[in-house]
C-alpha cells in the first residue's frame, strides 16, 4: 500500500512539474503571442477601415452624381425660363433702354 502512495505521489509531482514547465513556456512566449495577435488585429482593423472608406466614398460619389444631375436639370429649366422671358420682353426692354439713353 505504501508503494502505491509513493508511486501516486511521484506521478502527481511529475504531472505538476510538467504543468508548471508548460505554463513557464507559455509565459515566455506570451510576449510574442501578444505581438502576433496585435499585428493580426491591426491588419484586420485596417482592412475594415479600408472597406468602410471604400463604401463611404462610393456612397458620396453617388450622392454627388445625383446632386449634379439635379442641379443640371434645375439650371436647364431656369435657362429655358430666362430665355422665354427674354424673348417675351426683348422688344420692350430695348425700347426702354433706348428711351432712357435719349433722355
Amino acid at each position: 500500500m505504501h508503494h502505491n502512495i509513493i508511486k501516486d505521489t511521484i506521478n502527481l509531482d511529475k504531472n505538476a512539474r510538467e504543468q508548471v514547465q508548460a505554463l513557464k513556456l507559455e509565459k515566455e512566449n506570451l510576449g510574442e503571442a501578444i505581438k502576433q495577435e496585435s499585428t493580426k488585429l491591426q491588419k484586420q482593423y485596417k482592412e475594415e477601415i479600408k472597406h468602410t472608406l471604400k463604401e463611404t466614398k462610393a456612397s458620396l460619389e453617388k450622392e454627388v452624381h445625383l446632386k449634379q444631375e439635379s442641379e443640371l436639370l434645375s439650371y436647364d429649366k431656369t435657362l429655358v425660363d430666362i430665355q422665354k422671358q427674354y424673348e417675351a420682353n426683348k422688344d420692350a426692354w430695348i425700347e426702354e433702354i433706348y428711351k432712357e439713353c435719349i433722355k
Side-chain angles (χ1 to χ4, degrees):
M1 180 159 171
H2 293 297
H3 179 57
N4 286 340
I5 293 175
I6 294 172
K7 187 177 180 182
D8 290 344
T9 304
I10 291 172
N11 283 335
L12 287 173
D13 182 60
K14 181 181 175 186
N15 289 340
R17 288 177 190 268
E18 288 173 353
Q19 288 177 353
V20 168
Q21 185 63 29
L23 289 172
K24 284 182 180 180
L25 280 172
E26 186 178 329
K27 180 182 173 185
E28 289 173 6
N29 295 327
L30 192 59
E32 185 62 30
I34 289 172
K35 184 178 178 181
Q36 288 176 350
E37 187 66 23
S38 176
T39 303
K40 178 182 169 186
L41 288 174
Q42 285 178 351
K43 184 177 180 181
Q44 177 184 349
Y45 290 141
K46 283 181 183 180
E47 290 299 320
E48 288 177 10
I49 289 170
K50 284 180 185 178
H51 180 70
T52 302
L53 286 174
K54 187 176 181 180
E55 286 180 345
T56 303
K57 182 180 178 183
S59 173
L60 290 174
E61 285 176 349
K62 182 178 179 181
E63 188 177 327
V64 166
H65 181 70
L66 291 174
K67 188 67 174 175
Q68 282 177 335
E69 287 180 352
S70 171
E71 291 300 318
L72 185 58
L73 289 174
S74 175
Y75 170 78
D76 289 341
K77 182 181 179 292
T78 303
L79 182 60
V80 167
D81 290 345
I82 290 171
Q83 286 174 336
K84 285 180 184 177
Q85 188 177 8
Y86 172 75
E87 290 298 325
N89 297 313
K90 175 175 74 171
D91 294 332
W93 290 341
I94 292 173
E95 189 64 33
E96 280 183 44
I97 292 170
Y98 180 75
K99 286 180 183 177
E100 288 297 319
C101 287
I102 298 235
K103 282 185 182 180

